[in-house]
Amino acid sequence: MHSATLSPAARERSLAALSSGQELDVLVVGGGVTGAGCALDAVTRGLSVGLVEARDWASGTSSRSSKLIHGGLRYLEMLDFGLVREALRERGLLLQRLAPHLVRPVPFLYPLRHRGWERLYAGAGVLLYDTMSLSGNHARGVPAHRHLTRRGAVRACPSLRPEALVGALQYYDAQVDDARLVTCLVRTAAAHGAHPLSRARVVGFLRDGDRVTGARVHDLETDRVFEVRARQVINATGVWTDDIQALVGERGPVQVRASKGIHLVVPRDRIHSTTGLILRTETSVLFVIPWGRHWLIGTTDTDWDLDKAHPAATSRDIDYLLERVNEVLATPLTRDDVEGVYAGLRPLLSGHSDATAKLSREHTVASPVPGLVMVAGGKYTTYRVMARDAVDEAVRGLGEGVPASCTDRVPLHGAEGYVARWNQRRRIARQYGLSVERVEHLLRRHGAAVDELLDLLREDPALGEPLDGADDYLRVEIVYAASAEGALHLEDVLTRRTHISIETFDRGLAAARPAADLIAPVLGWDAERVDREVAHYVARVHAERAAHEQADDEAADAVRLGVPDVVPAVALAA
């Protein structure tokens, strides 16, 4: 196998391979979870594969989710049993085989507000949910649900107002570091021979008559445009699906509509609970999700037709979530409790209803023109199924002899050996002079690949110190993000390789320069480049904060767009 390192040198090799003129079997456009999944699926079938992403890996929807791997309990109410069963099967695979280092069980408490009928109704749904999770070839992977009295519910979550419930149900789903899982998918695909290239935007398609034969790609880091020839191209760009289809001049059979969902991040001590919460709202459900030393609170579900790259949360969005969660909390949360806010866009298939909450979470795969496959819709949990179906469609255009998908048996980078390294965590802590908690933190983020970070610590023990301004993270994690995980800019590190941008009250401002100074020698930045990266990040934070004070989407979008995407030095010089 090839190296799974997304180093600067590896990027140069991918750029050389894609621009060489040699025809690929498959070119995947879109570096979110579905596109990365497509690249892994195709390359593990023995195909030659390229993967291009216009910005950073997972920079769109795939780093701005509720960070849950779940069957979709509420879809049972819609009688969408097939989607739930499929998602629960994928949940079991991720928990037990594919990514046990990144996906773990998380408990949720569902408060009951009515006596008698609600416990029977909701209890039957949760029982069916647990039963369906046993229908595949894998064990459930999470504990079974249980019924709680009001006293038992308040014991599990002391922050609940006792008068806000008559009892509760507790059930389990799973959570994931969404951006990190995408990075692991890309690295695993690279290890099997795929050529991944981020900050590479598709600006047009190559055609031979009606057939798509590749794409024109603009490498934003070198300001170079080149052609990539491929027998099949897969459009896996989520909410950008229609934009990519427009470059071909052919509309797809369905349109993708964006729905905005926002999340708040608050410190763990603001809500006293040993369990997450799931609450009903007027239009959807509200989750309160344990997240390390924090809680994630979300989400909203509103139509969005403005800038797709930087969806903005408004003051109204934030107040809505605070009002809903405060309905059940004994001590209300305020704006001062909010550490971070992030907004993401769900790619929903339009044509089913005018309300985004009712649009389909099913996915669709189609080939609108020969040589081009589009995959759209779906949900994070079922990315592997979406990828398999998309590659199946591409394979139909390649002819006979391509094996079936095997990604249900391909552990992601860091999964192999994870359990053994977890069992050795105390020994590792003693050997490297770290606390056991620090080692557990590294293992939960990197799995067995923790050895690669420990190698860096052996060379420079100072990297074992906490990062100034964000002491949940070690300095070595910043260096590793740039040297092995494909981060090309400061915001890539603070927003996606770590979550410093939403896990600190200053949104990472104090950590920006210390992190940039660590990245600089890895990526060859001079002092001017360090200043520019820091300045861009600071401006982004100020713009996002200003957007959060706006009353409506249009005003928030206009404020957020006051800071454009980061521009590399070569593009500035050009």
Side-chain angles (χ1 to χ4, degrees):
M1 281 179 30
H2 298 69
S3 169
T5 298
L6 301 180
S7 64
R11 186 182 193 279
E12 291 298 318
R13 290 193 294 271
S14 286
L15 178 59
L18 294 178
S19 60
S20 68
Q22 185 172 350
E23 185 180 51
L24 299 169
D25 291 320
V26 175
L27 173 65
V28 181
V29 182
V33 70
T34 305
C38 287
L40 178 59
D41 189 288
V43 76
T44 52
R45 297 190 196 207
L47 302 174
S48 57
V49 177
L51 171 64
V52 293
E53 159 59 38
R55 296 185 296 146
D56 184 28
W57 306 119
S59 57
T61 302
S62 296
S63 62
R64 306 178 191 184
S65 72
S66 295
K67 308 189 190 306
L68 291 176
I69 296 294
H70 64 125
L73 184 59
R74 70 188 178 100
Y75 298 121
L76 286 180
E77 269 192 318
M78 303 175 187
L79 305 182
D80 203 341
F81 300 118
L83 177 62
V84 175
R85 185 180 294 108
E86 180 179 80
L88 287 171
R89 184 176 62 247
E90 294 304 306
R91 185 189 72 179
L93 269 175
L94 285 161
L95 275 165
Q96 298 172 75
R97 179 184 293 175
L98 304 185
H101 56 311
L102 298 175
V103 181
R104 58 191 58 88
V106 60
F108 286 101
L109 199 70
Y110 176 66
L112 301 171
R113 301 185 185 223
H114 306 279
R115 297 187 183 278
W117 69 267
E118 189 181 17
R119 187 179 290 277
L120 289 173
Y121 177 75
V126 175
L127 176 61
L128 177 60
Y129 193 66
D130 272 359
T131 303
M132 290 175 72
S133 69
L134 294 171
S135 62
N137 297 324
H138 299 275
R140 182 186 296 120
V142 300
H145 76 282
R146 59 185 184 137
H147 287 256
L148 299 176
T149 63
R150 174 191 285 168
R151 180 179 297 176
V154 174
R155 189 181 303 122
C157 180
S159 282
L160 282 175
R161 288 193 299 114
E163 62 272 22
L165 69 161
V166 298
L169 294 168
Q170 187 176 57
Y171 75 98
Y172 281 78
D173 255 318
Q175 68 178 171
V176 65
D177 186 329
D178 50 5
R180 182 154 294 282
L181 189 136
V182 174
T183 300
C184 284
L185 278 167
V186 175
R187 294 185 68 178
T188 309
H192 287 277
H195 305 295
L197 192 67
S198 64
R199 305 279 177 183
R201 185 185 306 278
V202 169
V203 294
F205 284 92
L206 308 179
R207 302 290 287 264
D208 183 1
D210 290 339
R211 185 176 190 82
V212 169
T213 58
R216 283 190 299 279
V217 178
H218 181 196
D219 178 30
L220 301 178
E221 294 297 304
T222 63
D223 199 29
R224 173 186 171 194
V225 177
F226 57 93
E227 295 182 347
V228 182
R229 301 200 170 274
R231 297 169 65 195
Q232 292 284 311
V233 177
I234 298 177
N235 174 6
T237 53
V239 294
W240 286 272
T241 298
D242 295 349
D243 301 79
I244 296 297
Q245 290 300 130
L247 293 176
V248 187
E250 301 281 347
R251 291 187 68 180
V254 297
Q255 278 67 58
V256 176
R257 188 163 155 190
S259 165
K260 184 181 73 169
I262 83 150
H263 293 78
L264 310 180
V265 185
V266 302
R268 194 66 178 265
D269 62 6
R270 300 306 197 270
I271 301 174
H272 300 290
S273 180
T274 60
T275 178
L277 299 173
I278 177 172
L279 311 169
R280 279 189 177 276
T281 68
E282 298 89 341
T283 58
S284 186
V285 295
L286 182 75
F287 287 104
V288 180
I289 307 166
W291 180 254
R293 296 205 302 170
H294 316 271
W295 296 98
L296 304 181
I297 301 172
T299 179
T300 57
D301 195 345
T302 55
D303 200 17
W304 180 266
D305 58 5
L306 301 169
D307 178 68
K308 296 185 183 76
H310 305 292
T314 65
S315 179
R316 186 181 303 159
D317 293 330
I318 295 169
D319 288 342
Y320 170 82
L321 289 182
L322 290 175
E323 288 166 7
R324 295 289 81 76
V325 75
N326 284 340
E327 290 175 359
V328 300
L329 294 181
T331 303
L333 298 173
T334 70
R335 284 287 193 103
D336 291 339
D337 295 315
V338 176
E339 290 177 290
V341 181
Y342 65 94
L345 300 177
R346 303 176 190 86
L348 305 180
L349 302 183
S350 66
H352 295 262
S353 167
D354 289 335
T356 58
K358 301 294 185 183
L359 293 181
S360 177
R361 298 309 302 273
E362 298 276 5
H363 68 273
T364 189
V365 174
S367 182
V369 295
L372 178 66
V373 172
M374 63 167 283
V375 54
K379 55 204 292 281
Y380 197 108
T381 303
T382 56
Y383 81 87
R384 194 194 65 82
V385 177
M386 295 172 65
R388 179 198 67 198
D389 292 350
V391 177
D392 280 347
E393 181 65 28
V395 164
R396 276 189 273 275
L398 293 176
E400 301 295 327
V402 179
S405 174
C406 65
T407 51
D408 60 336
R409 303 183 300 280
V410 179
L412 301 189
H413 183 77
E416 292 275 17
Y418 163 66
V419 174
R421 295 307 270 156
W422 179 263
N423 292 341
Q424 297 163 352
R425 63 193 184 279
R426 290 179 178 82
R427 192 185 76 193
I428 295 171
R430 288 193 301 271
Q431 183 178 351
Y432 289 90
L434 301 171
S435 69
V436 175
E437 291 75 17
R438 290 285 189 191
V439 175
E440 290 177 349
H441 161 87
L442 293 176
L443 284 165
R444 288 191 179 109
R445 285 169 47 76
H446 302 278
V450 69
D451 291 331
E452 298 172 15
L453 286 90
L454 296 177
D455 287 343
L456 293 174
L457 286 181
R458 192 179 296 113
E459 296 172 7
D460 184 359
L463 295 178
E465 296 297 320
L467 177 68
D468 291 343
D471 60 7
D472 276 357
Y473 295 89
L474 298 180
R475 291 158 55 90
V476 69
E477 296 179 81
I478 308 303
V479 172
Y480 187 73
S483 63
E485 295 183 325
L488 299 176
H489 295 280
L490 177 62
E491 74 169 57
D492 299 346
V493 175
L494 298 184
T495 306
R496 287 170 290 275
R497 304 310 183 278
T498 70
H499 300 288
I500 292 169
S501 65
I502 58 171
E503 292 177 348
T504 56
F505 275 106
D506 72 349
R507 313 291 169 91
L509 292 180
R513 186 162 293 276
D517 287 339
L518 289 166
I519 296 167
V522 180
L523 297 184
W525 295 351
D526 57 17
E528 181 183 354
R529 176 68 182 273
V530 168
D531 288 344
R532 190 166 62 252
E533 292 279 339
V534 172
H536 170 82
Y537 183 79
V538 170
R540 192 197 102 165
V541 169
H542 290 324
E544 287 180 347
R545 281 177 159 168
H548 300 161
E549 300 302 318
Q550 308 305 309
D552 56 56
D553 285 342
E554 289 74 14
D557 182 65
V559 170
R560 176 61 186 88
L561 290 182
V563 179
D565 281 339
V566 64
V567 179
V570 66
L572 286 174

